Amino acid sequence: MPQKILVITPLQEEYDDLYHSLSSLSLKSYTERIGKLDVQCFPEVNVTLARGGHGKTQFGIQTQHLLDHAKFDLVICAGAAGALAPEVKVSDVIIATSTLEHDYNNKFSNRPKPRFAGDTKSIEQIRALHLSIADFRVHFGIIAGGDEDVIDFQRGKELRELWDALAVAWEGVGGARASAFSNIPYLEIRGATDTADHEAPVVFYVNLKIVMKNIAYLLYMWIRG
C-alpha cells in the first residue's frame, strides 16, 4: 500500500459522514492543518481526510493546495454519484478505471474529451478484496465528471450511451488534473446515492450516510489488508 493517502471529499456532508464512518471502525484520529486547510489524520491507516469543495475547479484548487504543502503517495476523491448503468444499484460503490470530463465541450476540433486513468495498482488491489459479507457491490468502470446536476432520465441515458459511464459525479476531474500535475497516482471512488433522475434531489441526503459508510468499509478493508 502507498505510505500516505490523501482522501478528499467534495462536500462537507460527505466529509462528516466519512469521518464518522471511519471513526466507527475504531480508527483514532487527530486534527491537523495543511496550508490553509484543516484535515483529519488517521495514523493507523496512513490516511489524511480533507475537504476539496464543490465543483471541479474548487476541488482541483484545494487538492493542488494540499499537494503543494504535504507529501502524499496516492490521492483519492471519495463521494456520492448518480448511477447510470442498470447494474449499479443505490448504495453500491464505483471504482473509476477512468474519470472522463463530460462537460469539456471543445468545438474547434475533434479531439476526444479529457480522460484520466485511475491508479492501476490500487484498482488491482481492490479487485482482489473479499467483500462477501458486505451488503453492497463494487463496480469498476468509467465515471463521467462535470459541473452538472444530472436529474433527468434522458440526460443520464445520453451520458451512459455516449461514454459507457457507470456513474456521473462532479469533482473527480479536478482532483485528477491536480494529481496529474503533481505526478501523484489518483483514484476516484464513488457511492451511488441515486439513479441520476428526478428523485435524486429527494433521496440524496437520505442515502449519503449509507454510501459513505460503504466507502469507509471498503477503504478500511483495502488499506488494512
Side-chain angles (χ1 to χ4, degrees), residues 140-155:
F140 299 84
I142 298 167
I143 293 179
D147 289 354
E148 175 188 355
D149 281 327
V150 180
I151 57 173
D152 176 76
F153 173 78
Q154 289 302 324
R155 178 58 173 148

Side-chain angles (χ1 to χ4, degrees), residues 59-81:
F59 193 87
I61 289 170
Q62 292 184 205
T63 300
Q64 189 61 58
H65 180 75
L66 291 163
L67 295 178
D68 285 343
H69 288 83
K71 185 182 184 307
F72 294 99
D73 302 298
L74 175 69
V75 176
I76 295 174
C77 170

Side-chain angles (χ1 to χ4, degrees), residues 56 99-104 143-147 167-173 188:
K56 60 184 180 181
T99 297
L100 179 134
E101 192 168 6
H102 74 78
D103 64 344
Y104 189 94
I143 293 179
D147 289 354
V168 62
W170 278 54
E171 298 83 4
V173 172
E188 184 173 9

